[in-house]
Amino acid sequence: MTVGVLIEHDGKHMKTSSRHVITAASECQKPIIALVIGYQLDSIAAEVALCDGLDAVWVLDHPDYEYASAERVALWVASLALTHVLASANAFGKNLIPRIAALLNVSPIDGVLSILADKHYVRAMYAGHILCDVISDDLIQCVTITPTAFKSCASLKQAVSIESHASVDLPLLSKRVSMHQADSESPELATAACVMTIGRGVPPELIPRIKRLAKRYKAALGATRAVVDAGLLPNECQVGQTGQVVAPDLYIAWGVSGAVQHLAGMKHSKQIVSINKNPDAPMNAFADFVLEADVVSVLSAWEARFASLEEKCVSQELEYEL
Amino acid sequence: MIICVPIKRVIDYRVSAHIRPDADAIVTAGVKHSINPFDEIALERALQERDSGLVKKVIVVAVGDADTNEILRSALAMGADEAHRIHASKTPSPFLTAQLLKLWLEKNPCDCIITGKQAIDDDANQLGQLLAGFLGWSQAMFASKVSFKKEAAVEVTREIDGGLETIVCQMPAVISADLRLAEPRLASLPAIMLAKGKPITVTDASELELSLTEKTRVFNYRTAPIRQGGKRVANLNELMQVLNEAGMEA
Ligand SMILES: Cc1cc2nc3c(=O)[nH]c(=O)nc-3n(C[C@H](O)[C@H](O)[C@H](O)COP(=O)(O)OP(=O)(O)OC[C@H]3O[C@@H](n4cnc5c(N)ncnc54)[C@H](O)[C@@H]3O)c2cc1C
């Protein structure tokens, strides 16, 4: 009985979401192996090996895997003697887990929110509106885990062993030709402590100013589908049923109506603030704190607050120098 | 080239789903259904390719009971060339659906499959990947741009967590559609009328010699807890205050 956790990384570091999956894996109470796939992985493997809860790290490090295609990754993972294969319920894990499941002839389970017993899970459907239990009869469990539903695992001082694996032979079925990555300066949207989300109620010329505000708070930038469809912010910012699922400590929604498809992606945030001038907007019934006002005036007030704080700091510094 | 578009009948996205009193299923009788929005986007993209002449035929296929004919007719009205239904009394899981489709495709071959990335009822996001795995084909999931190349390859831009990625897949390939792949056309009234008379081929699941036993059991449906919010604050200062009280540094 061995649990394999597929580790997501960007070629430099492991993604925080994989730390949440390791915590979920530890609830299976079986040995846990982290699976790291790519090229030139030494530093990533060393980082992964410190994760609390692991028993070993298996590494497939090969130039052919610099672009780790689903076809090749699935073939390798399906060849390992694992009883559970877990990955995060995001574009990374959702791309891989069902294909691995097909090769193993098992019915995969998506977006697990809690593990009640071996092979017994809770998941959401209908845009998060309905929860259900799922029991699987399969000998091997192929599961994607909603990262925000589990804590992040800690890093230890002592590393577990790292084992190299040989690549598998499969003719090249797909290859990557280009990649556009979001700026890595801002925090990962899925695991950020604070998210500021821009909705259609934000006039486009205000977007750069909210971005600046988000930066000061080290907040990740989110968007509704309407804003992404309009080409105002990139797709990776979309929060919702069909975008990213987030659960930050603080979620600030600027001009967001609160459609069910949007709420599905942020309903588990600890504190939600809605800035929306329409008293009947669903978001204003849903959010913990509601500022029923125009985004323009709120943003100006917020900036003014910062400006005066900064002035104070500057004048204090001046006094000190004097 | 033939493109096959698997489509699913789901409760319309404007309608909220209700749970049966025994908590073992969702109420479906008498509820407005439609084509899963992502499948509609997939179909639109396939039709565009046919309209531009590269693709000879676009066929749609759905698994389900006779009520499923209704979405197949909508697909025909949009312009699909052929509609097929694999008969099953209940809508199966993505796993069984993919197995049925794999067997069905052995008799109804195609060069490329485009389907929606997820169905908005079970939100599973599995069918395309499962099908690609069963068939041993290349896969390009969450596509926001697709361009077919001459040399039996397709270039696909994928929406991934950190941004966008463009890959080239050998054909045959399975592609799953994200929201921004295409904007579905509205069927014209004459096309809707015409679609009513078009044939729908029905294959019984039993003809495919597959046992329709699910390997997962889904039960204890319940409504997710509803958040009690709505506390008004008068201005930004008051907002800052309550956030500080809640332990937030704002
Ligand atoms: C299959 C499907 C999947 C979907 N997936 C997603 C998803 O993943 N994520 C998602 O977000 N959506 C998704 N949607 C779309 C969703 O249904 C909504 O259309 C969308 O979330 C609305 O975005 P919005 O709140 O920005 O815009 P709107 O609904 O237009 O709301 C704008 C809000 O801003 C307020 N406002 C306007 N001007 C001001 C002002 N000056 N000051 C203050 N407030 C103002 C208005 O009162 C209004 O409430 C999906 C839809 C479908 C059908």
Side-chain angles (χ1 to χ4, degrees), chain B residues 187-201:
Chain B
S188 69
L189 203 56
I192 294 171
M193 297 312 287
L194 213 61
K196 289 197 164 130
K198 287 195 179 160
I200 292 174
T201 333

Side-chain angles (χ1 to χ4, degrees), chain A residues 199-201 224-227 238-243 255-259 261-262 275-278 281 293-295, chain B residues 13 37-38 120 179:
Chain A
R200 263 320 237 173
T224 63
R225 171 188 176 184
V227 166
Q238 185 177 315
V239 171
Q241 178 189 19
T242 55
V256 175
S257 61
Q261 293 89 359
H262 185 77
I275 303 163
N276 190 320
K277 66 179 180 187
N278 177 4
D294 199 298
V295 292
Chain B
Y13 74 91
F38 287 92
I120 59 161
L179 287 169

Side-chain angles (χ1 to χ4, degrees), chain B residues 44-106:
Chain B
E44 172 61 35
R45 187 62 194 86
L47 292 174
Q48 288 170 1
E49 213 57 50
R50 191 223 28 216
D51 296 347
S52 75
L54 194 70
V55 166
K56 193 172 77 197
K57 199 160 74 170
V58 173
I59 58 179
V60 288
V61 55
V63 182
D65 62 11
D67 287 340
T68 308
N69 287 351
E70 142 205 319
I71 60 156
L72 290 166
R73 296 218 182 276
S74 307
L76 287 168
M78 277 177 73
D81 298 289
E82 279 176 28
H84 301 263
R85 180 164 65 85
I86 302 171
H87 182 79
S89 55
K90 252 176 70 183
T91 306
S93 66
F95 177 77
L96 269 190
T97 305
Q99 283 194 319
L100 285 167
L101 287 172
K102 179 199 178 246
L103 295 170
W104 183 84
L105 285 162
E106 283 168 8

Side-chain angles (χ1 to χ4, degrees), chain A residues 61-85:
Chain A
D61 191 333
H62 193 276
D64 281 356
Y65 285 77
E66 184 170 9
Y67 165 60
S69 75
E71 299 88 12
R72 283 184 162 158
V73 170
L75 203 63
W76 179 58
V77 175
S79 75
L80 306 171
L82 299 168
T83 49
H84 299 65
V85 187

Side-chain angles (χ1 to χ4, degrees), chain A residues 156-206:
Chain A
L156 304 176
K157 296 227 159 58
Q158 186 81 37
V160 295
S161 67
I162 300 173
E163 206 179 283
S164 282
H165 280 246
S167 65
V168 288
D169 252 352
L170 178 72
L172 194 66
L173 290 180
S174 66
K175 61 175 197 278
R176 180 161 64 208
V177 291
S178 69
M179 175 104 145
H180 154 81
Q181 284 277 26
D183 88 79
S184 51
E185 299 268 292
S186 53
E188 236 177 89
L189 175 57
T191 50
C194 179
V195 173
M196 289 217 190
T197 288
I198 294 178
R200 263 320 237 173
V202 175
E205 64 276 12
L206 253 58

Side-chain angles (χ1 to χ4, degrees), chain A residues 242-259:
Chain A
T242 55
Q244 306 233 27
V245 176
V246 303
D249 294 334
L250 179 59
Y251 189 90
I252 303 177
W254 294 83
V256 175
S257 61

